[in-house]
Amino acid sequence: MIDNENSECERIEAEGGDYHKFLTLDEEKRGRIINASMKEFLSGYKKASTDNIVREAAISKGLLFHYFGTKEKLYDFMVRYAVETMRKEYIDLINVRQRDIFDSIWQTSLLKRDLCMKFPSVFDFLTGAYVEADHEINAGGALKDLQSMHANLVAEIFAHADLSLFRDGIDPKAAIKIIGLTFAGYANAKIAETPSGKTGETARENYDIYLEELKEILDTMRACFYKQQ
Amino acid sequence: MIDNENSECERIEAEGGDYHKFLTLDEEKRGRIINASMKEFLSGYKKASTDNIVREAAISKGLLFHYFGTKEKLYDFMVRYAVETMRKEYIDLINVRQRDIFDSIWQTSLLKRDLCMKFPSVFDFLTGAYVEADHEINAGGALKDLQSMHANLVAEIFAHADLSLFRDGIDPKAAIKIIGLTFAGYANAKIAETPSGKTGETARENYDIYLEELKEILDTMRACFYKQQ
DNA sequence: AATTAGTTGACTAATCAAGTCAACAATTAT
DNA sequence: ATAATTGTTGACTTGATTAGTCAACTAATT
């Protein structure tokens, strides 16, 4: 736990920013600030208001600037933190050595749920950070790192996938495209649908309903795409 | 053409707002203002800035307020106009009496493309307008009307779909769910991907590349879900 | 009791918001 | 050609909001 915390600090504080004060905060408060910030930064750096962030996080204005100094550093931290969290709690945990790609998808969905329980806005925040062009914070290239990690992940999953499981009539490549589309779309749509404020028990229940629906879809697709034996 | 214009005015101006000055504008300028407004209102009524709108539309501040009076009326108009446009140029044009639901999807995709060429932000603007809760403009219930029209449309398409085309092993209802997910996800993702500024020839070409990709997916799915003969 | 660390929110100076208006430009009517 | 009307501008006003500060308060530590 302590070790974990330290390595996280090192990665995020690598160049310039000193986020030590913030990182040694108790988890609950830290989480509140992270969630509030990511939620507010969803529609761009410029449009985000630090007043909204402190209101949502239920802390004082001074404290936010005590931790981060400037709005830019706050955003920089959020990018780094989101990328680092994605890596540690999502990408690194995925077992790419699976023959059935539906198993891979199911697994990633579970991890996605767990991550969204902690930080409801990570995914949207990061996709927002990609498209943003009106500011020049590059957060030490963290976004590009994540992008290549993700590309690598997808490639590995597909490399390990057993294509002989597919029906003889259909092109596995085309099928995989469809499968990817369906689940990416589904996961995003449904996860975005849940009110991002909640992190309690009700949110968990909501996600689990979605996951059951997802499992159904998964089974149907298996029946459609795989040859029956 | 004149008749068309008039009926449009009637529907939109129904209660209160006088948008005559704006509606009798030449199409090019009107389109610029509509696109700029919808784009700016994407991330909410409050966060939208009239200064950004006039800059994007390349008109003066005074002119915008000459046409619409207030920001609220501008937003009200945009909601009404977007809904009316969706009805006239999308929902009403869809032929629901088709037996192959892939044909229905293909058809809606073509219409969607045409609509997005004219108003790149209609779909996103309207979905944004749904979730917005921080203002109380209901635009004469136009949004609810659209919602029910859309629900009705989907229901009719599914009612006319020939379920006997599906493979014997799989549940048509579950399959339709997947099909809907895939295409809704695909269309939105890809259409959103195109830079919404462009409305020229390049944008058209981009869309058509997507449509070809879509056609491939469509054929693959037909092969997967329908029984072969 | 004294020192330190954590936390507050009223405050500032600058910017940005919606909305106005006197003045200019382009049409149309006389 | 002139007058009257309509279309259009952008500098301006007033008030809200912005990022960021700081003296003062509380809680923990020495």
Side-chain angles (χ1 to χ4, degrees):
Chain A
M1 191 54 166
I2 298 289
D3 258 300
N4 195 340
E5 207 77 66
N6 281 345
S7 72
E8 187 179 289
C9 293
E10 277 167 34
R11 272 185 183 267
I12 293 171
E13 298 195 36
E15 38 196 277
D18 173 18
Y19 305 117
H20 186 74
K21 276 179 235 158
F22 179 70
L23 285 165
T24 49
L25 222 55
D26 67 294
E27 200 180 323
E28 194 269 334
K29 196 177 209 171
R30 209 185 349 155
R32 250 161 48 215
I33 295 171
I34 290 172
N35 286 332
S37 301
M38 287 190 181
K39 190 180 167 191
E40 184 67 16
F41 280 127
L42 277 185
S43 48
Y45 170 79
K46 237 185 167 178
K47 291 199 176 180
S49 153
T50 52
D51 283 334
N52 288 342
I53 293 171
V54 299
R55 197 185 310 130
E56 175 94 12
I59 57 163
S60 70
K61 191 81 180 284
L63 197 54
L64 186 75
F65 283 87
H66 173 66
Y67 289 140
F68 296 101
T70 67
K71 188 188 174 187
E72 289 216 340
K73 281 186 195 161
L74 169 65
Y75 185 78
D76 175 273
F77 172 85
M78 287 303 149
V79 174
R80 287 169 193 267
Y81 191 85
V83 168
E84 188 55 21
T85 305
M86 280 283 281
R87 196 187 57 78
K88 261 188 8 195
E89 306 208 28
Y90 182 70
I91 292 180
D92 281 1
L93 300 185
I94 293 169
N95 171 23
V96 294
R97 312 176 90 80
Q98 290 181 111
R99 307 184 68 225
D100 184 339
I101 63 161
F102 294 105
D103 288 342
S104 300
I105 289 164
W106 176 245
Q107 192 203 5
T108 60
S109 301
L110 290 177
L111 290 171
K112 222 168 188 172
R113 177 202 56 183
D114 293 343
L115 187 46
C116 282
M117 293 302 302
K118 268 198 193 171
F119 305 111
S121 304
V122 251
F123 289 98
D124 288 338
F125 169 71
L126 282 174
T127 48
Y130 277 128
V131 296
E132 262 220 304
D134 61 337
H135 68 91
E136 61 298 318
I137 302 167
N138 84 337
L143 276 176
K144 287 202 169 173
D145 292 353
L146 179 65
Q147 212 162 11
S148 72
M149 279 192 290
H150 195 261
N152 197 56
L153 175 79
V154 172
E156 277 213 78
I157 287 175
F158 284 171
H160 285 87
D162 185 358
L163 301 182
S164 73
L165 292 169
F166 283 89
R167 274 197 148 89
D168 288 328
I170 66 179
D171 175 24
K173 262 199 163 177
I176 283 174
K177 206 183 207 172
I178 291 171
I179 294 164
L181 273 172
T182 310
F183 288 105
Y186 180 80
N188 289 340
K190 290 298 181 179
I191 277 171
E193 207 174 88
T194 57
S196 49
K198 295 180 183 173
T199 32
E201 202 54 40
T202 48
R204 174 89 192 194
E205 282 166 29
N206 279 336
Y207 281 121
D208 286 349
I209 289 167
Y210 293 142
L211 283 179
E212 266 185 57
E213 206 181 337
L214 189 68
K215 206 166 196 172
E216 256 183 60
I217 293 171
L218 215 136
D219 289 336
T220 309
M221 288 194 100
R222 233 189 291 251
C224 293
F225 289 103
Y226 283 178
K227 51 176 81 131
Q228 317 296 94
Q229 61 265 9
Chain B
M1 189 53 166
I2 299 289
D3 259 297
N4 193 341
E5 207 78 65
N6 281 346
S7 72
E8 187 179 290
C9 292
E10 276 167 34
R11 274 185 180 266
I12 293 171
E13 298 196 35
E15 38 195 278
D18 172 20
Y19 305 118
H20 187 72
K21 276 178 236 157
F22 179 70
L23 284 166
T24 50
L25 223 53
D26 67 294
E27 201 181 322
E28 194 270 333
K29 195 177 208 171
R30 210 188 345 157
R32 251 161 46 216
I33 295 171
I34 290 173
N35 286 333
S37 302
M38 287 190 182
K39 190 180 166 191
E40 184 66 17
F41 280 127
L42 278 185
S43 47
Y45 171 79
K46 237 184 168 179
K47 293 201 174 179
S49 153
T50 54
D51 284 332
N52 288 341
I53 293 171
V54 299
R55 197 185 310 130
E56 175 94 12
I59 56 162
S60 70
K61 190 84 178 279
L63 197 54
L64 187 75
F65 283 87
H66 172 66
Y67 289 140
F68 297 101
T70 67
K71 188 187 174 187
E72 288 216 341
K73 281 185 196 159
L74 170 65
Y75 186 78
D76 175 272
F77 172 86
M78 286 304 150
V79 173
R80 286 169 192 269
Y81 191 84
V83 168
E84 188 56 20
T85 305
M86 280 283 282
R87 195 187 58 78
K88 260 187 10 192
E89 306 208 30
Y90 182 70
I91 290 179
D92 281 0
L93 300 184
I94 293 168
N95 171 24
V96 295
R97 312 176 89 81
Q98 290 181 112
R99 307 186 68 224
D100 185 338
I101 64 161
F102 294 104
D103 288 342
S104 300
I105 289 164
W106 178 245
Q107 192 203 7
T108 60
S109 301
L110 289 176
L111 290 170
K112 222 170 189 172
R113 178 202 55 185
D114 293 343
L115 187 46
C116 282
M117 293 299 305
K118 268 198 195 171
F119 306 111
S121 304
V122 250
F123 289 99
D124 287 338
F125 169 71
L126 283 173
T127 48
Y130 277 130
V131 295
E132 262 220 304
D134 60 338
H135 68 92
E136 61 296 322
I137 303 166
N138 84 335
L143 276 176
K144 286 201 171 172
D145 292 353
L146 179 65
Q147 211 162 13
S148 71
M149 278 191 291
H150 195 262
N152 198 54
L153 175 79
V154 172
E156 278 213 79
I157 286 176
F158 284 171
H160 286 87
D162 184 359
L163 301 182
S164 73
L165 292 169
F166 283 90
R167 275 199 146 89
D168 288 330
I170 66 180
D171 174 24
K173 262 198 164 178
I176 283 174
K177 205 182 206 172
I178 291 171
I179 294 163
L181 272 173
T182 309
F183 289 104
Y186 181 80
N188 289 339
K190 290 299 179 177
I191 277 171
E193 207 174 90
T194 57
S196 49
K198 296 180 183 174
T199 32
E201 203 52 41
T202 49
R204 175 87 192 194
E205 283 167 29
N206 279 335
Y207 281 122
D208 286 349
I209 290 168
Y210 293 142
L211 283 179
E212 267 186 56
E213 206 182 337
L214 188 68
K215 206 166 195 172
E216 257 183 58
I217 292 172
L218 214 136
D219 289 336
T220 309
M221 289 193 99
R222 232 190 291 251
C224 292
F225 290 103
Y226 282 178
K227 52 176 80 132
Q228 318 295 96
Q229 61 265 11

